[in-house]
């Protein structure tokens, strides 16, 4: 496959290659380990934190990073956190890496990160995130629904991706990246990933009986409370209708997802009767 000498030009794959993309091997949370050539990261199942990771190289504006959720433990609160930093990961060093991206990193300069709703992080779910030229952090989840997670990312300096394997999200796999402008550029090709093993995830909440953890018989408190998520991040979400992808999603279904415009909500309710995201019945 060869090595890419820079993100400007790959001697093996040509000028349409963005360069190799993996997790930074020198700066990792204390409870995670890497595999599959540094593209898969897994957190210790006994904890919900210390899962901070960074991209191995700076990523470009509008470069869409493609991830797949590998493992999920529902007995924790919260889930994956995504963002960017203009500080090289190597500048903080592994000994100074905090437990969480939010609020440990985001309360300091040049770090931007936002939580992703737990309902969008089931095993096997594929997602993309990127930063726009205007400094907007955008997340694209299942069914291509796009969310504006936050604004104000400084795009004037090189940016490294932040991927905090937090809470319910126990393992993720980097599938590559893509950037479109006049042409399409991709990260270096990688071997096809193995299938997701659903048996290794704890789906206790979906099964209706939250399991006991080493923390006790309750779900640990997430530092990002539900109220804060609802009032700040979710209010600013760019909700495109999951069906027509053109009108703003304005209808909140009985499962809690706001993913349909009024017109499509009537049609989906009449024809299918289930939420297009979680497949629960619409009451």
């Amino acid at each position: 496959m060869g090595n890419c000498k820079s993100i400007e030009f790959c001697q093996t794959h040509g000028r349409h290659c963005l360069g190799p993309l993996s997790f930074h091997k020198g700066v990792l949370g204390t409870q995670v380990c890497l595999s599959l050539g540094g593209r898969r990261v897994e957190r210790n199942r006994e904890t919900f934190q210390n899962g901070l990771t960074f991209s191995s190289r700076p990523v470009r504006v509008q470069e869409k990073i493609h991830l797949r959720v590998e493992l999920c433990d529902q007995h924790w609160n919260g889930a994956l956190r995504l963002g960017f930093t203009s500080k090289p990961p190597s500048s903080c060093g592994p000994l100074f890496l905090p437990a969480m991206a939010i609020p440990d990193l985001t309360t300091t300069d040049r770090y931007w990160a936002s939580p992703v709703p737990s309902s969008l992080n089931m095993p096997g779910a594929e997602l993309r995130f990127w930063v726009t030229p205007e400094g907007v952090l955008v997340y694209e989840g299942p069914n291509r629904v796009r969310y504006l997670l936050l604004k104000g990312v400084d795009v004037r300096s090189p940016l490294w991706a932040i991927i905090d394997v937090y809470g319910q999200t126990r393992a993720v796999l980097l599938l590559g990246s893509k950037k479109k402008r006049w042409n399409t550029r991709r990260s270096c090709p990688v071997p096809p990933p193995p299938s997701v093993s659903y048996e290794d995830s704890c789906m206790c909440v979906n099964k209706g009986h939250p399991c006991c953890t080493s923390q006790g018989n309750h779900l640990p408190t997430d530092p990002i409370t539900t109220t804060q998520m609802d009032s700040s991040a979710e209010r600013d979400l760019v909700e495109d209708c999951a069906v027509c992808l053109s009108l703003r999603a304005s209808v909140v279904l009985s499962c809690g997802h706001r993913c349909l415009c009024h017109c499509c909500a009537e049609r989906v309710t009449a024809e299918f009767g289930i939420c297009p995201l979680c497949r629960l019945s619409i009451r």
Side-chain angles (χ1 to χ4, degrees):
M1 183 177 295
N3 296 319
C4 293
K5 301 301 182 182
S6 73
I7 64 174
E8 295 296 335
F9 177 69
C10 172
Q11 292 183 341
T12 302
H13 304 115
R15 294 188 179 276
H16 293 302
C17 180
L18 292 167
L21 184 64
S22 62
F23 292 104
H24 199 294
K25 297 180 180 179
V27 184
L28 288 168
T30 58
Q31 296 297 317
V32 296
C33 60
L34 299 180
S35 59
L36 294 180
R39 295 184 296 111
R40 188 182 188 275
V41 60
E42 181 174 346
R43 193 192 69 243
N44 187 330
R45 67 167 64 238
E46 300 300 324
T47 183
F48 62 93
Q49 57 183 355
N50 294 109
L52 266 171
T53 63
F54 300 88
S55 60
S56 58
R57 60 162 173 83
V59 296
R60 298 168 179 270
V61 172
Q62 295 284 59
E63 181 180 349
K64 298 182 179 181
I65 301 171
H66 189 184
L67 295 174
R68 186 177 74 184
V69 178
E70 299 282 282
L71 297 172
C72 175
D73 290 339
Q74 289 186 323
H75 50 257
W76 302 115
N77 273 351
L80 189 66
R81 280 88 193 278
L82 302 173
F84 293 93
T85 178
S86 58
K87 289 186 177 181
S90 56
S91 65
C92 62
L95 296 179
F96 301 98
L97 201 61
M100 298 174 286
I102 306 171
D104 296 344
L105 287 181
T106 53
T107 53
T108 62
D109 291 336
R110 297 165 59 186
Y111 289 97
W112 304 270
S114 176
V116 175
S118 303
S119 59
L120 303 179
N121 282 271
M122 294 296 101
E126 295 188 15
L127 58 96
R128 294 169 176 82
F129 72 101
W130 64 94
V131 63
T132 71
E134 295 75 30
V136 177
L137 172 58
V138 181
Y139 165 86
E140 182 179 88
N143 294 338
R144 302 287 182 168
V145 180
R146 292 184 180 181
Y147 300 86
L148 183 154
L149 295 183
L150 59 82
K151 303 175 182 178
V153 179
D154 188 351
V155 298
R156 295 173 295 180
S157 301
L159 293 170
W160 284 259
I162 300 173
I163 301 168
D164 189 0
V165 186
Y166 176 85
Q168 293 185 11
T169 309
R170 180 155 56 93
V172 296
L173 174 68
L174 271 172
L175 298 176
S177 65
K178 179 172 68 174
K179 183 179 186 298
K180 285 186 177 181
R181 197 175 180 184
W182 297 289
N183 50 38
T184 299
R185 304 181 66 184
R186 303 177 187 273
S187 57
C188 284
V190 295
S195 301
V196 172
S197 176
Y198 296 93
E199 292 78 10
D200 293 334
S201 292
C202 176
M203 307 303 292
C204 51
V205 174
N206 276 12
K207 296 176 181 178
H209 49 83
C211 66
C212 299
T213 70
S214 58
Q215 303 293 322
N217 297 328
H218 62 278
L219 297 177
T221 301
D222 188 345
I224 301 300
T225 64
T226 301
T227 301
Q228 184 175 350
M229 179 65 184
D230 290 343
S231 62
S232 59
E234 194 161 340
R235 184 179 60 241
D236 291 333
L237 289 167
V238 176
E239 305 99 346
D240 288 333
C241 174
V243 176
C244 67
L245 301 178
S246 58
L247 298 179
R248 184 176 180 82
S250 55
V251 175
V252 180
L253 303 179
S254 53
C255 59
H257 286 130
R258 182 172 61 184
C259 57
L260 298 171
C261 65
H262 280 286
C263 182
C264 290
E266 293 180 357
R267 183 163 63 89
V268 168
T269 301
E271 296 183 13
F272 303 101
I274 59 174
C275 170
L277 295 185
C278 67
R279 306 299 179 184
L280 289 179
S281 296
I282 299 175
R283 296 190 300 273

